[in-house]
Amino acid sequence: MKVVQINATCGIGSTGKICVGISQLLTEKNIENYILYSCKSNGYDLGIKCSDDKYIKSQALKSRLLGNYGFNSKKATRKMIGELERIKPDVVHLHNIHGHDCNIELLFNYFRVNKTKLVWTFHDCWAFTGYCPHFTMMKCDKWETQCSKCVQRHEYSWIFDKSHDLFARKKWLFQGLDLTIVSPSQWLANLVKQSFLMDYSVEVINNGIDIDIFKRTEGDFRNKYSLENKKVILGVSYGWDKRKGLDVFIDLANKLTDEYKIALVGTDDSVDKLLPDNILSIHRTQNQQELAEIYSAVDVFVNPTREENYPTVNMESLACGTPVLTFRTGGSSEILDETCGSVVASDDVDALEKEIIRMCTEKPYTKEACINRAKEFDKNERFKEYLELYERVNSARTERN
């Protein structure tokens, strides 16, 4: 069996790391495999670059001008198809392909003609909308019938609103395929079953983490920032905005007493300008071990995300023995059970504040319980589920022509 994964990145970012993790496990099993990617890479040996940053930026500009998001990047797509022709994989596993990385019309017509056996992991909702990967904050349900007059169009197109056309083209392109859809969360799987992709098989395979890296780790975080006598609340994101709950942390900083300290990881100079003085801003960590030290040192990890699929940061915190508090958003709450964290209604900052105080003072969730829960997110076990899926897909007869 030969397997090819296609993703925007290779070894970089959450999806790029997932690709490499799956590839390493395939290699251990002596299964020939490759990763086709567009731009960013950590130099992984089995990665094959099909584009570059300059080209991707030019295609992003073209998309903004024409409004045809997902239908540019023909040169990069022909390179992908050429590699597929050379390798002749038994299974192609798609991940994120909507960062101006390929022309989905060229790519999916190729898949249809060649009756390619496909696995497609949905890391967001883009596949069944006109433009957007998320629509929760906008409270939009047009994707259930027909996207049009997109309320988020300006994020994807400066001039034209082609959401109606793109939705219809996707709906046609994604039919008649030998396709199994994978969702990291039950929440997203349920949405797929309400979309125009409802006739495809949908399997839930949770994201995983490296529990050899994310584990209880002693460090000097509290001493370094003079937090020895504080109840510390942590937030981690690499792209802080309203969607990730930046405004919620600012609100909490004004509500909580001096007994508490909020620390945010993944900020930058532009975010710093928005933060009050009593929030500790950490732009980046040196490595994942340092991040594990921070997770291990705090009292509670808070994730007030408003749009989310299955956030890795929740799992990382639990693996380091720190309980999680999150909004009931997407698949974020699915990561928790009654032993390791708490969930409040989305946007209910008062409830979030009360729960922070309860979790910091009563300490209802033990380090041991959090770590035990995190064992279920061992990436090696989750990636094995993909190998089992590849084998089933490869051995099954194609039911669709």
Side-chain angles (χ1 to χ4, degrees), residues 208-218 288 291-297 301 311-324 335-336 340 366-379:
I209 58 170
D210 189 338
I211 60 175
D212 290 328
I213 293 176
F214 290 101
K215 58 186 178 181
R216 195 73 183 168
T217 308
E218 296 301 322
Q288 290 184 315
L291 183 55
E293 291 175 4
I294 296 173
Y295 279 126
S296 301
F301 178 78
T312 302
V313 288
N314 290 10
M315 295 179 271
E316 293 171 351
S317 179
L318 293 178
C320 296
T322 298
V324 174
I335 296 170
L336 309 179
C340 63
T366 66
K367 297 180 180 64
E368 293 75 18
C370 294
I371 293 169
N372 188 58
R373 172 65 174 169
K375 291 176 182 177
E376 298 185 28
F377 308 119
D378 182 345
K379 68 173 186 177

Side-chain angles (χ1 to χ4, degrees), residues 150-249:
C150 179
V151 294
Q152 301 188 78
R153 187 264 298 177
H154 291 289
E155 294 186 29
Y156 308 99
S157 174
W158 290 327
I159 304 170
F160 305 105
D161 180 359
K162 294 189 177 180
S163 57
H164 184 281
D165 176 57
L166 297 186
F167 182 90
R169 292 171 76 180
K170 285 182 184 180
K171 185 176 181 179
W172 183 86
L173 278 172
F174 298 159
Q175 298 302 321
L177 302 167
D178 189 350
L179 170 64
T180 300
I181 296 170
V182 174
S183 168
S185 68
Q186 187 61 52
W187 166 79
L188 183 53
N190 292 342
L191 293 185
V192 174
K193 283 302 183 181
Q194 299 173 53
S195 75
F196 60 70
L197 298 169
M198 64 177 66
D199 291 334
Y200 286 114
S201 172
V202 182
E203 300 200 13
V204 176
I205 299 178
N206 298 144
N207 293 334
I209 58 170
D210 189 338
I211 60 175
D212 290 328
I213 293 176
F214 290 101
K215 58 186 178 181
R216 195 73 183 168
T217 308
E218 296 301 322
D220 64 348
F221 175 72
R222 282 183 175 266
N223 290 333
K224 182 178 179 179
Y225 294 103
S226 302
L227 301 172
E228 295 91 338
N229 299 315
K230 298 286 187 179
K231 294 180 173 67
V232 184
I233 299 108
L234 177 66
V236 176
S237 179
Y238 296 95
W240 282 107
D241 55 16
K242 186 173 182 179
R243 187 171 77 87
K244 291 296 186 180
L246 179 62
D247 60 309
V248 174
F249 280 113

